[in-house]
Amino acid sequence: MKAELEVIAGADRKRFRLDPGRSINIGRSRAADFQIFSGFVSRLHCQLQHDGKEWVLTDLDSRNGTWLNDERIHAHELKDGEVFTLGKKVQVRFTVLPSTAEVPAREREEDESGVVSDLVGREISGIRIAERLPGPGPVHRLRGHQPSLNRHVLLHAFRKDALAAAGLKERLLEEVRRVSKLLHPNILQIHDFVEHAGVDLVVMEYFPGSTLEEILSRRKFVKITEALGIASQVAEGLAYAQDQRQYVDRLFPSEIFVDEAGEAKLQFFRPPFPRQVEVRTLTYVAPEIISGGRLRSGADRPADPGAALPAAVYSLGAILYHMLAGIPPHEGETRDELLPRILKEDPPALRRVNLKVSPALARIVERAMSRDPKARPPDFKVLRADLRKIVSPAR
């Protein structure tokens, strides 16, 4: 009996396909098959196992308990549609999948042929595909486990028909080769490229954390020390990429991953599909990118560091502003409303919206976000040095 778990409250929404042939552990640890990031969830919280007829949920002596209908349970045979709670906070729904439609309709709508969804539970090139992660196509994200190296991996899956347009496959391979050479603790590493029937897979380092975009959606403010730590780590990674002559001209919170310990990693890899920047993310784009008509983004890397680096510095400054201020530097409901503000207006003074921000840190953020590219730190080495003075001031 195939079934599915779905986190519906208390943590980031995600799903996990259950295979009757194997038991799965749920917890916040990397060792868990179904990872849920919450302080209410133990490292290995509970286990699900199929006894030949039913799925049995067993608590693994978790600190905050496993609950069903407000009662703490040790072991329970799950019924279709039941919702159990981890630590009285994280709600997980159990759903039996009909044998005639093992792939849910909502996934097939995003993956028209079901090619990507059907990978869950299979083993490809020594990687067992464990679950499909949230996110729209044409890029589909999966989590897998590589038993030979005892590690989890993140897979970006591209349907071959989505890469059929002229040059897209070549651009994808070029991006994979370029980014796979970047070996830095604050950049997500590419491990491999795998071709499978109907799908091409980019195999990447799996980092158990939330995107900064998710964090900002849950919290109004990020603590100053935490925000500084995140920005400093991203600057470290980009300073290294700069040394390798690899550049970006914009950054987004959705590309920055942060774990519970505050470690941050940047996803430098970008899929080759050109896409229009969404209204909600325009606030992180430098004015000269907007005025120059370069809003469409894809995997093409800017060749001119003199233009790209100050623009990317602006992006990181805008992201740091949002973490410290609790609001984006510029806001607007539509592109027509937002673009003129980015081009002509300064954001609200940082210390006016958060008095806890020191004058020195406010000056760094305001300089990074100057509308004049020449007034910003010219690259990430300079910005990194500025941030280090705040993180570790001279005694």
Side-chain angles (χ1 to χ4, degrees):
M1 178 176 62
K2 293 227 175 196
E4 179 186 70
L5 298 176
E6 181 180 8
V7 177
I8 59 174
D12 294 336
R13 294 192 68 137
K14 58 193 304 190
R15 298 191 296 271
F16 186 91
R17 190 74 53 78
L18 298 170
D19 183 347
R22 59 190 286 260
S23 61
I24 67 112
N25 291 324
I26 301 173
R28 72 170 192 271
S29 164
R30 292 190 185 200
D33 300 290
F34 188 24
Q35 269 187 313
I36 299 176
F37 307 107
S38 168
F40 294 89
V41 177
S42 297
R43 292 177 60 80
L44 290 177
H45 195 104
C46 58
Q47 183 181 76
L48 267 169
Q49 189 167 18
H50 197 260
D51 65 2
K53 292 184 178 180
E54 305 291 341
W55 283 98
V56 179
L57 173 66
T58 304
D59 185 77
L60 298 176
D61 295 324
S62 63
R63 179 177 181 180
N64 295 313
T66 302
W67 301 76
L68 188 71
N69 299 326
D70 293 326
E71 292 187 8
R72 189 165 184 165
I73 62 172
H74 173 67
H76 174 78
E77 287 188 358
L78 286 170
K79 305 295 187 294
D80 185 30
E82 281 189 322
V83 176
F84 59 92
T85 305
L86 309 179
K88 282 199 168 181
K89 179 70 174 180
V90 179
Q91 296 181 357
V92 183
R93 179 190 290 126
F94 171 81
T95 305
V96 175
L97 298 177
S99 58
T100 56
E102 291 183 355
V103 178
R106 62 179 176 274
E107 287 191 7
R108 286 195 176 274
E109 289 174 2
E110 298 170 357
D111 173 19
E112 294 176 1
S113 64
V115 172
V116 174
S117 300
D118 288 342
L119 296 178
V120 176
R122 296 188 182 185
E123 185 167 312
I124 300 170
S125 297
I127 300 170
R128 184 175 182 85
I129 310 300
E131 64 174 322
R132 181 176 171 187
L133 302 174
V139 184
H140 304 275
R141 298 167 66 246
L142 304 161
R143 182 175 68 87
H145 184 254
Q146 201 169 12
S148 60
L149 296 174
N150 191 28
R151 70 180 179 188
H152 293 278
V153 293
L154 173 68
L155 302 102
H156 288 264
F158 301 84
R159 295 201 322 267
K160 290 186 183 292
D161 59 350
L163 294 171
L168 277 183
K169 176 67 172 285
E170 290 74 18
R171 288 173 59 193
L172 174 62
L173 289 171
E174 181 183 350
E175 175 74 354
V176 168
R177 294 188 191 103
R178 180 189 295 118
V179 179
S180 65
K181 296 176 183 177
L182 299 179
L183 304 176
H184 189 274
N186 298 117
I187 294 177
L188 289 175
Q189 185 180 350
I190 289 182
H191 296 313
D192 203 356
F193 180 81
V194 175
E195 295 188 80
H196 184 70
V199 182
D200 290 330
L201 300 163
V202 178
V203 185
M204 297 186 65
E205 171 188 0
Y206 178 74
F207 186 64
S210 301
T211 67
L212 184 55
E213 182 178 54
E214 292 166 342
I215 292 171
L216 289 170
S217 71
R218 294 196 299 262
R219 291 195 258 162
K220 181 170 177 58
F221 290 97
V222 176
K223 292 180 180 178
I224 293 175
T225 53
E226 185 181 354
L228 262 174
I230 293 169
S232 297
Q233 290 175 77
V234 174
E236 291 281 355
L238 288 167
Y240 163 81
Q242 175 184 323
D243 283 339
Q244 309 305 309
R245 299 182 180 179
Q246 299 297 328
Y247 315 110
V248 293
D249 60 7
R250 67 201 75 182
L251 299 166
F252 302 110
S254 60
E255 298 172 321
I256 299 170
F257 292 77
V258 185
D259 70 6
E260 290 181 333
E263 183 180 358
K265 289 179 182 278
L266 173 69
Q267 181 179 300
F268 200 85
F269 167 74
R270 284 179 174 168
F273 303 104
R275 63 189 188 279
Q276 194 72 26
V277 178
E278 298 177 26
V279 172
R280 63 188 173 82
T281 59
L282 279 172
T283 189
Y284 310 111
V285 180
E288 65 270 21
I289 298 292
I290 294 170
S291 61
R294 291 179 284 152
L295 277 180
R296 291 186 68 81
S297 63
D300 290 332
R301 295 289 175 189
D304 178 11
L309 289 171
V313 164
Y314 178 99
S315 284
L316 186 53
I319 291 170
L320 180 53
Y321 180 100
H322 191 168
M323 287 192 283
L324 296 171
I327 55 173
H330 298 92
E331 295 184 280
E333 294 296 324
T334 66
R335 295 169 72 89
D336 290 342
E337 185 179 340
L338 182 57
L339 292 182
R341 293 176 180 172
I342 297 173
L343 292 173
K344 299 177 182 179
E345 299 176 10
D346 292 326
L350 187 51
R351 279 178 48 78
R352 184 172 295 176
V353 292
N354 187 351
L355 286 173
K356 294 181 180 179
V357 176
S358 69
L361 177 54
R363 284 193 295 270
I364 290 173
V365 176
E366 289 163 3
R367 183 184 173 210
M369 288 193 65
S370 171
R371 278 181 281 135
D372 179 3
K374 295 179 180 179
R376 299 175 204 147
D379 57 37
F380 285 100
K381 292 182 178 180
V382 176
L383 180 60
R384 176 182 62 184
D386 289 343
L387 291 172
R388 281 177 175 175
K389 292 174 186 177
I390 304 294
V391 176
S392 302
R395 295 174 182 258

